[in-house]
Amino acid sequence: DAKTTQPPSMDCAEGRAANLPCNHSTISGNEYVYWYRQIHSQGPQYIIHGLKNNETNEMASLIITEDRKSSTLILPHATLRDTAVYYCIVRVVRTNAGKSTFGDGTTLTVKP
Amino acid sequence: NAGVTQTPKFRILKIGQSMTLQCAQDMNHNYMYWYRQDPGMGLKLIYYSVGAGITDKGEVPNGYNVSRSTTEYFPLRLELAAPSQTSVYFCASSYGSSGGNTIYFGEGSWLTVV
């Protein structure tokens, strides 16, 4: 299974862009990259996902390198409410299997 | 719009007791999952199910059992509770296993074993 590596913590100033990196060097061609976040031990919340192309939605942008070995989640204008743990995961796809494993994520602290 | 519902939200167990964490989803999802999260740590997959009648172990299955008799329900059974099982438990579901299917999480069940 492809694993991901994220820095344990990052800080960001309020109003600035938060760029969260993720390494997934063993990703396979048919595996997507997903980002979730978890605020105050609530259930993780979906943010965005992508396969090859860069993606953008109302919450964030996802930049995936051409070789797909790493990606960056961008929160364009971070607010204090974006303080959370951010998880980058790779969705494993195998016949009759659907498990998805999470790592320890990156704790993002947005500071005033 | 219920999504994934977990009960109970909080529970205290004594060592050696047993209990079942309930999980229900109303999205007709085929895949369901149980994760645990220890304080300050990430999520660890306990068990998952790809459909009614089919379950499989995740990363940390010891001390737990699951069943999936219907699409909607995926209970997690703790037998002979131990302090090491003190954790927050999250149930989740997704429509399929492919990378294009988002996982939806419940709000969590806080379990303390004393």
Side-chain angles (χ1 to χ4, degrees), chain A residues 66-108:
Chain A
E66 190 170 345
D67 62 7
R68 302 187 71 239
K69 294 183 182 300
S70 66
S71 62
T72 301
L73 177 75
I74 300 173
L75 307 178
H77 305 288
T79 70
L80 299 179
R81 288 177 294 180
D82 291 322
T83 292
V85 179
Y86 287 79
Y87 295 99
C88 165
I89 68 169
V90 174
R91 291 299 303 275
V92 178
V93 180
R94 286 196 229 127
T95 300
N96 294 327
K99 64 182 180 181
S100 294
T101 54
F102 286 69
D104 291 333
T106 296
T107 299
L108 174 69

Side-chain angles (χ1 to χ4, degrees), chain B:
Chain B
N1 189 14
V4 179
T5 303
Q6 295 181 231
T7 57
K9 194 166 183 67
F10 301 97
R11 181 72 185 267
I12 298 174
L13 275 182
K14 293 183 178 179
I15 295 172
Q17 287 185 321
S18 299
M19 76 160 295
T20 299
L21 297 176
Q22 302 292 343
C23 177
Q25 54 92 6
D26 61 359
M27 297 173 282
N28 200 32
H29 283 171
N30 294 326
Y31 286 75
M32 296 188 74
Y33 317 81
W34 274 105
Y35 294 88
R36 62 174 285 174
Q37 185 174 37
D38 298 334
M41 306 296 287
L43 297 159
K44 299 293 185 184
L45 182 65
I46 305 172
Y47 271 95
Y48 67 101
S49 169
V50 303
I54 306 171
T55 63
D56 205 350
K57 296 177 181 179
E59 303 168 271
V60 289
N62 293 340
Y64 306 94
N65 281 299
V66 293
S67 60
R68 184 95 181 272
S69 57
T70 66
T71 300
E72 295 81 7
Y73 300 103
F74 189 43
L76 177 71
R77 179 78 176 168
L78 282 73
E79 303 283 1
L80 298 175
S84 62
Q85 294 177 302
T86 294
S87 191
V88 182
Y89 292 83
F90 290 100
C91 181
S93 71
S94 65
Y95 181 71
S97 68
S98 74
N101 291 288
T102 301
I103 303 174
Y104 295 88
F105 286 83
E107 288 303 307
S109 295
W110 274 252
L111 176 67
T112 301
V113 181
V114 296

Side-chain angles (χ1 to χ4, degrees), chain A residues 31-59:
Chain A
E31 292 176 325
Y32 285 69
V33 178
Y34 269 77
W35 283 84
Y36 286 79
R37 74 179 183 184
Q38 187 176 27
I39 300 173
H40 297 310
S41 296
Q42 299 175 10
Q45 174 191 23
Y46 165 80
I47 302 173
I48 198 168
H49 74 281
L51 182 62
K52 295 181 180 179
N53 300 321
N54 298 337
E55 302 289 343
T56 296
N57 62 21
E58 64 278 4
M59 291 181 67

